[in-house]
């Protein structure tokens, strides 16, 4: 089961719950804000959250992570090249907001890693390193559900932004073409700031 929740911070951002229907356990992806609301949804549904997965280190994707780590007792995962964003408000773009955000406790993962649910080993996400928006941006891919959580790599209307520290337009385009457009056309791309779009539809827009 995939449930989307649009959280409201400085920007609206899509937080995703990826939950196994059988065990009621799963992952939260990019809890950007409103930790209390996210926590209430988890409790109300009787879910167990095993891990908090971040697609990248920008403030609007990580803002609720630390509070949820404490309340849910679930570790936070980030790709190594984006780890500096978690502890540097300048890099994560919260520095001038008046409310600098840091995420001091996290684990790292590697490209190609399979993040498997302890409660059901058939339920998993594959880590695909998709840099460009930030150096350590990743996509979490579920072949079983034909879904990919892409963060800010791309949106329904086109590619993600690259005008922030560490962004690189050429690298972003390489990630989209080599890592996303090689997934099956029916794969649903779930981004941080738009409605879903399939790989096939996104190809028609960008190619
Ligand atoms: Zn971002």
């Amino acid at each position: 089961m995939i449930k989307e929740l649009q959280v409201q911070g400085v920007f609206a951002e899509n937080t995703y719950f990826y939950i196994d229907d059988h065990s009621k356990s799963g992952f939260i992806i990019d809890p950007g804000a409103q930790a209390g609301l996210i926590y209430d949804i988890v409790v109300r549904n009787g879910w167990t959250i095993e891990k908090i997965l971040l697609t990248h280190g920008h403030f609007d994707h990580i803002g609720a992570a630390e509070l949820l780590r404490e309340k849910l007792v679930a570790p936070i995962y980030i790709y190594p090249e984006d780890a500096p964003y978690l502890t540097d408000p300048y890099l994560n773009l919260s520095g001038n907001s008046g409310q600098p955000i840091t995420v001091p406790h996290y684990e790292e993962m590697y490209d190609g890693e399979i993040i498997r649910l302890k409660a059901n080993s058939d339920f998993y996400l594959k880590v695909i390193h998709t840099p460009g928006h930030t150096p350590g941006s990743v996509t979490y891919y579920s072949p079983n559900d034909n879904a990919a959580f892409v963060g800010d790599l791309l949106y329904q209307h086109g590619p993600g932004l690259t005008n922030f520290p560490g962004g690189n337009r050429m690298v972003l385009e390489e990630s989209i073409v080599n890592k996303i457009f090689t997934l099956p056309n029916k794969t649903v791309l779930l981004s941080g700031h738009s409605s879903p779009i399939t790989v096939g539809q996104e190809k028609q827009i960008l190619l």
Side-chain angles (χ1 to χ4, degrees):
M1 171 206 320
I2 297 170
K3 181 174 162 54
E4 179 194 309
L5 169 72
Q6 192 179 80
V7 294
Q8 307 296 327
V10 177
F11 303 118
E13 186 263 348
N14 296 331
T15 293
Y16 294 98
F17 303 91
Y18 185 46
I19 307 292
D20 171 33
D21 292 323
H22 303 291
S23 65
K24 303 283 182 210
S25 295
F27 309 120
I28 293 178
I29 298 157
D30 285 356
Q34 296 188 282
L37 175 61
I38 294 171
Y39 180 75
D40 286 347
I41 290 171
V42 170
V43 170
R44 202 184 318 136
N45 285 282
W47 295 336
T48 300
I49 300 301
E50 290 193 1
K51 291 183 168 78
I52 297 166
L53 306 177
L54 304 177
T55 60
H56 65 292
H58 281 154
F59 78 103
D60 54 329
H61 291 249
I62 67 173
E66 175 60 14
L67 255 176
L68 288 169
R69 183 189 70 81
E70 289 178 8
K71 289 178 75 111
L72 298 170
V73 197
I76 296 165
Y77 283 75
I78 187 92
Y79 199 76
E81 285 169 80
D82 260 29
Y85 287 64
L86 297 187
T87 48
D88 184 341
Y90 163 73
L91 283 176
N92 71 39
L93 308 176
S94 68
N96 295 325
S97 70
Q99 283 184 313
I101 290 169
T102 57
V103 179
H105 307 286
Y106 56 85
E107 313 276 334
E108 295 183 349
M109 61 207 166
Y110 58 86
D111 189 23
E113 182 169 347
I114 302 294
I115 299 184
R116 219 174 270 286
L117 203 60
K118 284 187 207 135
N120 176 3
S121 60
D122 292 335
F123 189 91
Y124 68 93
L125 288 166
K126 182 181 180 184
V127 177
I128 305 174
H129 184 211
T130 48
H133 179 67
T134 61
S137 286
V138 299
T139 291
Y140 296 103
Y141 174 50
S142 166
N144 290 339
D145 284 307
N146 294 301
F149 302 92
V150 298
D152 287 351
L153 174 66
L154 55 81
Y155 307 113
Q156 188 185 33
H157 38 270
L161 299 174
T162 52
N163 55 334
F164 304 118
N168 185 311
R169 177 73 186 213
M170 198 183 295
V171 171
L172 181 114
E173 289 176 356
E174 284 173 5
S175 289
I176 293 173
V177 171
N178 298 332
K179 308 277 187 72
I180 300 299
F181 285 177
T182 48
L183 300 175
N185 279 335
K186 64 183 175 185
T187 307
V188 177
L189 305 174
L190 300 155
S191 81
H193 304 282
S194 81
S195 299
I197 185 170
T198 65
V199 167
Q201 290 168 330
E202 190 83 29
K203 280 178 183 169
Q204 288 183 345
I205 293 173
L206 294 185
L207 291 182

